[in-house]
Amino acid sequence: MLIDEAGLTPSGITKGIILAGGAGSRLYPATRAACKQLLPVYDKPLVYYPLSTLMLMGIRDILIISTPADLTRFRDLFGDGHQLGLRFTYAEQPKPEGIAQALIIGEQFIDCNPVALILGDNIFHGTFDFHAIASGFQKGAVIFGCSVPDPGRFGVLGFDRNGNVLSIEEKPDQPKSSYAVTGLYLYDGQAVDIAKALKPSNRNELEITDVNRTYLDRGQLSVVRFEHGMVWLDTGTHESMLEAGNFIATIEKRQGRKIACIEEIAYRMRYIERSQFEKLVSEMTNNSYKTYLDGVLREADDRSS
């Protein structure tokens, strides 16, 4: 994902929701200590990665939805967000009753505006320009498809010969393509009413696939397919958490750049001034993360000299 240091135009989508709820059953017993989104993926909490995606979209007004037990931990981690030039609000998901439930919980926050909804356990990395998609968003819905070796584990896209999306099937036995729907969704102001009109599935959940199908039936769904150079990681199991951590570690060590370093992103995207960034860094204890951010400051000084 590209960081534009030349300044940004206001995004067409200015509000974002991170859904960081769920029972955490697949990661038991690790999730007895903290919810999945607060567990580390290499050198930072998992939630930093979807947060960084929203920040790179130009989104600064963010709602975090989590369980009643975990919301206090997120508040302790981020506060009101002013230190990053962001605005955080928080809402409870009393029981995990489907991804689409986030749209209903967030109704007051959304307030009929376009919104980006991202799952708190999804990691995106690459040179894809999310900001261009978000800033150009006008109406309908945009979802993102990624080719995976095991599409039957996800919502799967079906296409016609011209590449137009024809269907979305949830965890099919015989997938119509290798393209899975990732956990990032852009919606216009219709989304809340669509979610409210849904009937629970056989899993007794409000399915985000049904929201997307409604937009598809209305001819208002666009699909962006990730091609080579873009990586999507879904960290739903112990194995995928380990793989994600190893991937992040390898990239950071090879490139000398941290992935999802939210303080650096806030500074480079001019959400905060140099003095605010310096204050953030100075308040950190001495560790490799602080050393990296000190290097970002030195690099900025070298460019300006």
Side-chain angles (χ1 to χ4, degrees):
M1 288 167 283
L2 301 176
I3 299 177
D4 179 7
E5 299 181 56
L8 296 169
T9 57
S11 174
I13 296 181
T14 60
K15 292 175 177 282
I17 297 175
I18 300 175
L19 179 57
S25 56
R26 288 188 295 171
L27 290 177
Y28 184 89
T31 46
R32 291 191 65 185
C35 70
K36 172 171 58 175
Q37 295 82 6
L38 292 174
L39 296 177
V41 173
Y42 184 49
D43 58 350
K44 58 190 75 70
L46 173 55
V47 71
Y48 273 39
Y49 298 91
L51 173 58
S52 70
T53 298
L54 294 183
M55 293 174 70
L56 289 164
M57 282 184 165
I59 294 172
R60 302 172 67 176
D61 192 2
I62 297 168
L63 171 66
I64 295 180
I65 298 175
S66 190
T67 67
D70 291 309
L71 272 184
T72 298
R73 296 181 176 127
F74 284 104
R75 286 194 178 99
D76 290 342
L77 181 61
F78 295 124
D80 64 8
H82 77 278
Q83 72 279 8
L84 297 170
L86 306 177
R87 178 179 178 269
F88 282 109
T89 50
Y90 302 88
E92 292 184 0
Q93 185 185 36
K95 293 190 298 182
E97 296 179 337
I99 297 170
Q101 186 186 31
L103 297 168
I104 300 173
I105 293 171
E107 179 178 12
Q108 190 171 17
F109 169 78
I110 295 170
D111 194 25
C112 299
N113 291 294
V115 66
L117 170 62
I118 190 168
L119 304 188
D121 61 357
N122 274 220
I123 298 174
F124 298 89
H125 177 68
T127 56
F128 185 82
D129 192 350
F130 280 117
H131 183 265
I133 299 292
S135 62
F137 182 87
Q138 295 182 350
K139 61 182 180 179
V142 177
I143 59 177
F144 299 84
C146 185
S147 182
V148 297
D150 52 353
R153 293 178 50 229
F154 307 96
V156 178
L157 296 163
F159 302 95
D160 65 18
R161 292 180 179 180
N162 296 319
N164 300 310
V165 63
L166 291 178
S167 64
I168 308 172
E169 296 180 285
E170 185 66 24
K171 299 180 180 178
D173 292 331
Q174 295 182 322
K176 293 182 179 179
S177 80
S178 65
Y179 278 87
V181 179
T182 70
L184 174 62
Y185 319 89
L186 310 185
Y187 296 123
D188 66 9
Q190 303 177 81
V192 173
D193 288 338
I194 291 173
K196 283 182 172 181
L198 296 180
K199 295 181 180 179
S201 67
N202 293 334
R203 301 190 299 172
N204 201 31
E205 294 187 358
L206 299 179
E207 303 287 355
I208 200 68
T209 295
D210 291 336
V211 174
N212 296 332
R213 281 201 194 106
T214 301
Y215 277 104
L216 177 61
D217 292 343
R218 294 178 180 181
Q220 297 176 342
L221 179 72
S222 297
V223 176
V224 176
R225 287 195 271 186
F226 292 139
E227 303 298 342
H228 299 295
M230 189 67 200
V231 175
W232 167 56
L233 302 173
D234 172 49
T235 54
T237 65
H238 293 291
E239 292 77 12
S240 58
M241 285 282 283
L242 178 61
E243 290 170 1
N246 289 337
F247 173 81
I248 299 296
T250 299
I251 296 298
E252 289 191 354
K253 290 175 182 177
R254 293 288 180 89
Q255 296 184 346
R257 288 286 184 186
K258 286 201 174 295
I259 297 170
C261 181
I262 56 177
E263 296 85 0
E264 179 184 11
I265 293 171
Y267 176 53
R268 291 193 185 277
M269 294 189 67
R270 300 181 182 176
Y271 293 165
I272 56 176
E273 301 294 332
R274 165 74 181 241
S275 59
Q276 294 172 278
F277 183 54
E278 289 177 336
K279 184 174 185 294
L280 278 176
V281 178
S282 68
E283 291 174 347
M284 296 178 183
T285 57
N286 289 325
N287 52 49
S288 60
Y289 197 82
K290 181 179 188 297
T291 299
Y292 173 78
L293 291 175
D294 283 333
V296 172
L297 283 169
R298 289 194 299 273
E299 181 183 294
D301 291 338
D302 290 344
R303 285 200 306 268
S304 60
S305 61

